[in-house]
Amino acid sequence: MRYELKYNIDLLGAVEIKSTILLHPASFSKAFPDRIVNNIYFDSADFLFFHENVNGAPNRKKMRLRWYGEDSLLASKSMLEIKNKRSQLGWKDIFSFDTHGVNSLDKLSQKINHLNNFEIALLPALQNRYKRSYYVSHDGLFRITVDYNQEFAIPTIDNLYLPTNKRFNNLVELKFEEEDWKHSSDITNYIPYRQTKNSKYVNGISAIFHL
């Protein structure tokens, strides 16, 4: 169980944000090389997960396929992630996902629904990608990610990213375990941004489908 505090930043570029993180008193440093994150999100035909998020349901789930790298095509080494939220705390269940033979959205849906433990049928609802930078505090208890250059699209097997006529803000996420909450103010007091609610899935669905 962990906390994820989010900061949706409009007026600063990624370079400025990352410079600010490196000046934090907790001595954050790069934890991992920057990389491109790709996701396909799944939802019901009537966007149940989307509406649960928008309406602020305290207990909710979200399912996505994730892979890394420049190629926006579904990679052979993908991970199926189920994100669980209980009020302010969350956790992820992660499974390896074999994409062999998945050459259409119908086959992808069939495989997902064979594996998932939801009571509803799920469909590919949104694809997105972004660049991510990773940082960790000197004591190793707190992690920060910076997501920028966000792109969204309706999923296809041979996907191309098309403009949504909307500029998406850069996103900072502070992540730490439940037991470290008592020390979190030592970190948040020196983050010069306003904490916000943010969901890339909700942002993308809203921009493309105007929901």
Side-chain angles (χ1 to χ4, degrees):
M1 301 283 281
R2 70 179 186 180
Y3 290 94
E4 292 186 358
L5 308 186
K6 301 183 179 184
Y7 304 83
N8 196 357
I9 302 170
D10 183 16
L11 299 178
L12 295 178
V15 172
E16 296 169 286
I17 295 169
K18 290 189 278 187
S19 296
T20 299
I21 292 169
L22 292 174
L23 293 173
H24 194 285
S27 298
F28 281 90
S29 60
K30 288 295 290 287
F32 197 84
D34 292 5
R35 57 183 175 177
I36 294 176
V37 182
N38 297 274
N39 301 290
I40 294 178
Y41 292 89
F42 297 85
D43 208 335
S44 65
D46 58 355
F47 294 102
L48 173 65
F49 297 160
F50 170 85
H51 290 295
E52 284 182 343
N53 194 306
V54 170
N55 294 330
N59 301 331
R60 57 185 186 267
K61 291 186 177 184
K62 181 167 55 183
M63 178 183 281
R64 68 189 178 203
L65 274 181
R66 170 164 288 186
W67 68 98
Y68 300 97
E70 297 279 350
D71 196 345
S72 63
L73 299 179
L74 183 60
S76 58
K77 292 184 178 180
S78 299
M79 304 300 292
L80 180 64
E81 299 186 349
I82 301 175
K83 291 198 70 174
N84 304 272
K85 193 75 180 290
R86 297 291 181 271
S87 189
Q88 290 184 296
L89 287 164
W91 72 96
K92 289 196 293 188
D93 300 317
I94 303 176
F95 311 92
S96 296
F97 186 85
D98 182 7
T99 61
H100 179 72
V102 177
N103 54 13
S104 70
L105 290 181
D106 285 342
K107 289 188 177 180
L108 179 59
S109 298
Q110 290 171 10
K111 188 159 189 173
I112 287 292
N113 284 297
H114 177 72
L115 295 173
N116 84 61
N117 59 351
F118 297 102
E119 296 179 354
I120 56 174
L122 299 179
L123 302 168
L126 180 76
Q127 187 163 345
N128 79 334
R129 70 178 175 191
Y130 45 88
K131 193 76 172 287
R132 169 167 282 185
S133 300
Y134 302 79
Y135 300 88
V136 63
S137 60
H138 181 69
D139 60 12
L141 299 180
F142 296 88
R143 290 169 292 130
I144 289 178
T145 56
V146 182
D147 297 337
Y148 55 101
N149 295 348
Q150 296 187 61
E151 296 178 287
F152 294 87
I154 298 172
T156 65
I157 289 298
D158 54 348
N159 189 68
L160 296 175
Y161 281 88
L162 302 176
T164 60
N165 298 318
K166 179 177 175 61
R167 175 183 172 272
F168 292 93
N169 296 341
N170 298 317
L171 179 67
V172 170
E173 295 186 23
L174 172 65
K175 305 171 185 181
F176 54 94
E177 302 303 315
E178 181 180 12
E179 60 267 25
D180 296 317
W181 172 260
K182 57 185 176 294
H183 303 300
S184 63
S185 61
D186 297 337
I187 306 297
T188 57
N189 287 344
Y190 294 95
I191 295 179
Y193 313 121
R194 184 172 62 88
Q195 186 180 335
T196 59
K197 180 181 178 181
N198 188 87
S199 165
K200 297 186 189 73
Y201 177 61
V202 168
N203 294 341
I205 290 292
S206 299
I208 290 176
F209 296 101
H210 306 291
L211 293 181

